[in-house]
Structures are given as structure tokens and as C-alpha cells.
Amino acid sequence: MPYRAAVEDYNFLFDHVVKLDAVRGTDKFEDATDDVIRAILEEAGKLCNEVLAPLQRPGDLDPARLENGVVRTSNGYADGFKAIADGGWIGISADPEYGGMGLPLSLASAVNEMMSGACLSLQLAPLMSQGQIEALEHHASDAIKDLYLPKLISGEWTGTMNLTEPQAGSDVGALASKAEDNGDGTFSISGQKIYISWGDNDFAENVCHLVLARLPGAPAGTKGISLFLVPKILPNDDGTLGKANSLKVVSLEHKMGLHGSPTCVMQYDQATGWLVGPEQGGMAAMFTMMNNARLGVGEQGIGVAEGAYQHALAYALDRKQGKTSTADGTGSIVDHADVRRMLMTMKADTFAARAIALSCAVAIDMTNATGEADWKSRAAFLTPIAKAFGTDTGIAVSETGVQVHGGMGVIEETGAAQYCRDVRVTAIYEGTNGIQAMDLVARKMMDGGDAAYRLLDEIEADAEAAREAFPNMADAVWQASETLREATEWLVSQTDLDNRFAGAVPYLRAFARVLGAHLHLKAALADKGGAREKLARFYILRLLPEHVGLLTHAQAGKADLFAMTADELAV
């Protein structure tokens, strides 16, 4: 079965679950009518199905390569990127003043997820540009905006972000890259960066790098970091291209997956760059890019989950093995109870993760449209959950997809293993999922848990309203929310952060489980007696109970984690 973008799922979610009406009701997004949303999803779906999905396997088999200092991309990728750029998909939520569509991030998130399911390696290229566009919109000077944004939005130029260095992984404050003021409005940037997704390509006129570096005399740590825009080719004032900048791709990383996406080691040798934002304001500017990139990475995991599920389902419907007692069955392995369990779990978790990510996107849109503090805190709270649960779901669903295939799952020709290899890194980049969980239980609870409690209040109110229609499901969701509330109260009471961090990952997953059940319940109410009610019943009665064990783990504290010495760990 060829890949099919989940257009109808998004239409349903926007109409009945995450309620895009609130976003469309703002002045900022009043042009995002129902007709516009549906037309854009339909066109994006066609692009994914017909242009991008056919590039999935070729990119894996024909990886990007470095030849004489130039990155050569996989066969077909140049045409695929051109189709993305020509359709205006890079600038779907960018400022119309510079050529963007100005549509909600919710819609951009849906499109990005569909592209990820079609061909994740290629989708990374426009995602990097989108993040840079947003950072420049918020922090760059008018001169930089006027010169760079139209080119990035059109896809003539592409963007990257350069954070990581060999000695500084997640500890960005340990970076060693240096910047020196040239006295003419430019700076000289020197240093090496690693893990730079799409650090170069052979289809864009220019590649624009956002680079973190430290000016002389700046304090140590993250507070002393500044952000610079460093193009591969120096542009003239009129936007035409001048001479090459003093930077290069040293090598490409040899990765377990995402072979079509060149991950570069970049070297800057007194390369010319321009300051973005104030001096020593680099992390604030970069976080503008990273926060929405975290949601984007969560969407990548969900997209891969969708692709892996469709791949596994097609195999299960075709593969005949063993006997089943299913009346009017297909005669294929989809009639086996355990195969059905796997497929239902894959489908239910993918829907839950998708609905959580869209809820986060809606909160971001409402923040941008209204500036209201409650929306801002909700968006901040949901971001680490959307990123971690989205990518964990992508990994789990793709691994289950291999299991559905049985022995054929580990045979590369079937394509099932590629989903596992491609998606695995999403739990690591843009902040590992452990870091997301630590952020959730620490920084995101500096409000005393208020954002969490407001979400729980909403979940319980909706569960109460659903009791007449679905008493068993509604009671299960309500009770789970209360258990989660008690665990949240315990976490907030812990002054030793290690007690929070020790259970941060299970707490985040438990919160995602309860949120997923809440959103499945809303879907069931909108589709009584239909497939979505049946899927919600499976999720709520079979998967939601996992939260009990997770929350027990979350409240266990740190003592047993540190009971063994480092030497004892090695025994």
C-alpha cells in the first residue's frame, strides 16, 4: 500500500478535538477559514503522496555524499525540494510581508507531519529553514529581515542552526566557538560545529547558518553566548550573491538512519557573520527557533509512526499464515488477536500523539494571536510533552511495525526497518527526551503547577460531561486525572530537584497517557458508534491504565537510583 497522508484525520481533529475555531476566531488568523484549511491539507496531501513518498527508499539506498567539499544530495531530492518550495510550503506560517502565507502554526504542523511520514530525510530541510525564519522574524534587524527572509521563504536559500560542538553536547554553554567584532557591523566567526542537519546541499543558491559563538570578554556559560547569521556565500546589498564565505563542510556523519539527510561537521575560519539579537542574547534568540522546532520534531515522530503503521497494516492484510477463528475474516494475519493488538496500539497511540501535538500548536497560535498569559503557559507546558511523546511514539510504532512483519521486518528490502532507523534520532535532537521531561517537572512547574492543574481541571470537566454517553470511559479518564493531580502535587512539593528528575520521564509519559485519553474521549463523542469511538475505547480501557505504574515510579524519589556506587554499577 502506498503512503497516504492523514488528511481526514487532521480535518476531524481540527473540527472536533482541538477545535481550530478559537484560532480562526482571532483577528490574526481570520483568513484561515474552513475552506482554506481543507484545501491546503488536500494539496499538501497530494504533494506527500505523489512527490515525496516515492523518495523515501531511494534516499536511504542512495545517501547524501561529500564530493570535493560539496554535498551531493540523493537522486530526486532536488526536484522534491523544488516542489515543496514552489508550493509555498516553507513559508506556510511565515509573515506575509516577506512572502509567507501567515497561516496558523497548527496548519503548518499538520503539513510538516504529513511530509515527515512521506520522507523524513527530505522534510528536515524545510523544517530547518522554518525555524530560522521564525528566529529572524523575532530577533533580526530590519536589514537582515529584508534581505534574508524572502529568500528563505521562497526556498531559494535554505537555513540551518549550529549549536552542538564536539566537547559540548546538550551543555551548550560549554561551546568554544569565538566571534570578533570587525568594526564594520560584521563579525568574524571561528569554530567547529557538529550534527548540523542539512548543513549543505546542491539545490539551493545559498545556505544560511545560525551560529552560536562567544564574544571576547563574555561571561562563561549560556549567558555569554551570542547568535550570528553566517551565509555560505556572502550576499550583496541587492540580494545577489558575491564571494564564498570562509566556512566548509569537513565531513558527513555516518548515521544509522536518515541517510538522505546530510548531517555535517562544519568548520568556520573567521567567517563573516551578522549579529542576530543583542550581544549575549544568543540563547534567547535560539530558543525561539528551538521551541517550535521541538514541536516540529514531535511531529516528525508522529509522521514516521503513521508511515510505519500504514506499512505494517498493508503487510498484515496481505500476509497469510496460520488459522484464525475470526468470522468473515480476511484469511491474513490481521485476523490474529496479537497482530490486531499491535495494530490497534499503533493506531491509537499515533492518534493520541497527533492530538497532543496539535493541542500544543493551537496553544502557540492562541499565544501569538492574543498574547494571553494562560495560553502562553499552556503552550510552554505542552511543548516538552508533545516532543517527547511524539518521538517516543514514532520509535515504538516503527519497532512494532517490524514485529508485525515478523522475520521479514529485519529484511531491509521490505522497508520496515528504515522507519526504525530514521526515527530513532528524534528522541535525541532538539533536547533529548530526558531533558524534555526534566524541563517539564522543573522549569514548567515554577508556577507551582498552575498550568498543569488548569489542564487537569479541563480534562475532568470534559470527563464529567461525557459520563452520560460513555460512563465507563469517562470515569476512567476522570480517575486517571485525579491520580495525576496527586502526583503533580507531590512533585511540586519536592525542593530537591533530583527527586523530581528521578521520575521525570515516567511522569511525562503518564501525563501524555492521560492527555491522550482525554482527547480520544472527545473524538468518541464526535463519532458515537463509529471507528473513532472503538479506537478510544481500546486506548482508554487498555493503554490508559499504564499511568498507574508510571506515576508510582514518578514518586519514588532519587534514593534507590543513587544507592549503588559507580563501581557497583560496573559489577
Side-chain angles (χ1 to χ4, degrees), residues 381 385 440-441 445 452 456 459-460 476-492 494 499-500 502-515 543-557:
F381 189 84
I385 299 175
L440 180 69
V441 301
M445 289 190 178
L456 295 173
I459 291 170
E460 291 178 12
V477 174
W478 192 93
Q479 292 292 348
S481 180
E482 273 297 289
T483 305
L484 181 56
R485 186 186 298 274
E486 292 169 4
T488 304
E489 290 169 349
W490 182 88
L491 279 173
V492 170
Q494 301 303 303
N499 278 329
R500 299 190 193 187
V505 167
Y507 175 80
L508 183 150
R509 184 167 181 84
F511 214 116
R513 271 279 171 253
V514 176
L515 271 176
L543 303 184
L544 175 61
E546 179 186 308
H547 80 280
V548 177
L550 290 167
L551 291 177
T552 299
H553 187 169
Q555 297 173 83

Side-chain angles (χ1 to χ4, degrees), residues 521-535:
L521 184 58
K522 294 178 77 169
L525 288 168
D527 189 31
K528 294 179 182 177
R532 297 182 191 279
E533 179 195 327
K534 297 169 186 175
L535 191 66

Side-chain angles (χ1 to χ4, degrees), residues 21-295:
D21 288 348
V23 175
R24 290 195 290 247
T26 64
D27 291 340
K28 184 175 180 65
F29 297 118
E30 61 183 357
D31 292 335
T33 63
D34 184 64
D35 288 344
V36 168
I37 296 292
R38 290 180 182 276
I40 285 178
L41 287 175
E42 191 67 32
E43 287 304 310
K46 289 179 182 177
L47 172 73
C48 293
N49 299 344
E50 299 170 9
V51 179
L52 303 185
L55 301 175
Q56 167 82 347
R57 284 297 285 161
D60 190 54
L61 299 173
D62 173 35
R65 58 197 182 279
L66 185 62
E67 294 180 350
N68 299 318
V70 177
V71 169
R72 303 298 181 191
T73 57
S74 303
N75 187 39
Y77 272 38
D79 290 339
F81 185 83
K82 186 177 187 300
I84 294 170
D86 289 351
W89 301 112
I90 299 171
I92 188 171
S93 60
D95 191 338
E97 181 179 349
Y98 301 100
M101 296 186 193
L103 290 168
L105 178 66
S106 307
L107 183 57
S109 295
V111 172
N112 284 338
E113 191 236 278
M114 293 191 289
M115 289 186 183
S116 300
C119 183
L120 180 57
S121 285
L122 182 55
Q123 188 270 342
L124 271 163
L127 183 73
M128 292 294 97
S129 291
Q130 287 171 346
Q132 185 170 124
I133 288 165
E134 185 178 24
L136 296 182
E137 283 180 347
H138 284 85
H139 300 285
S141 66
D142 288 342
I144 288 178
K145 290 179 185 178
D146 291 341
L147 178 57
Y148 284 84
L149 286 177
K151 299 287 189 181
L152 290 165
I153 290 170
S154 70
E156 295 171 76
W157 298 355
T158 58
T160 75
M161 61 177 177
N162 289 230
L163 290 80
T164 309
E165 299 183 5
Q167 79 293 341
S170 297
D171 183 11
V172 178
L175 66 80
S177 294
K178 299 177 180 179
E180 296 179 349
D181 192 339
N182 292 328
D184 60 358
T186 68
F187 294 79
S188 291
I189 314 299
S190 298
Q192 187 176 97
K193 299 288 184 176
I194 61 173
Y195 305 151
I196 310 307
S197 297
W198 282 97
D200 193 27
N201 64 73
D202 55 3
F203 49 70
E205 294 177 356
N206 204 359
V207 182
C208 309
H209 304 282
L210 281 178
V211 183
L212 290 177
R214 199 183 308 276
L215 287 161
T222 56
K223 293 182 179 179
I225 296 174
S226 299
L227 181 64
F228 301 89
L229 181 58
V230 188
K232 174 183 176 180
I233 303 175
L234 296 169
N236 300 313
D237 291 341
D238 62 359
T240 59
L241 296 179
K243 65 179 183 179
N245 209 346
S246 51
L247 58 88
K248 63 181 179 180
V249 179
V250 176
S251 63
L252 299 186
E253 304 288 0
H254 298 283
K255 303 169 298 191
M256 67 182 289
L258 294 177
H259 295 156
S261 170
T263 301
C264 303
V265 176
M266 300 295 303
Q267 183 68 41
Y268 298 88
D269 295 309
Q270 294 190 324
T272 301
W274 286 262
L275 185 67
V276 175
E279 292 185 9
Q280 300 176 33
M283 288 306 294
M286 187 61 86
F287 266 111
T288 299
M289 183 175 184
M290 286 181 65
N291 278 334
N292 283 8
R294 285 172 174 169
L295 173 60

Side-chain angles (χ1 to χ4, degrees), residues 424-468:
R424 186 60 186 85
V425 71
T426 62
I428 296 171
Y429 59 43
E430 301 304 336
T432 68
N433 287 359
I435 288 175
Q436 303 301 319
M438 292 166 68
D439 175 53
L440 180 69
V441 301
R443 185 173 303 180
K444 300 303 165 55
M445 289 190 178
M446 290 174 66
D447 62 356
D450 285 349
Y453 297 141
R454 283 195 296 271
L455 265 173
L456 295 173
D457 289 344
E458 183 178 308
I459 291 170
E460 291 178 12
D462 284 354
E464 288 286 0
R467 282 188 188 277
E468 183 176 349

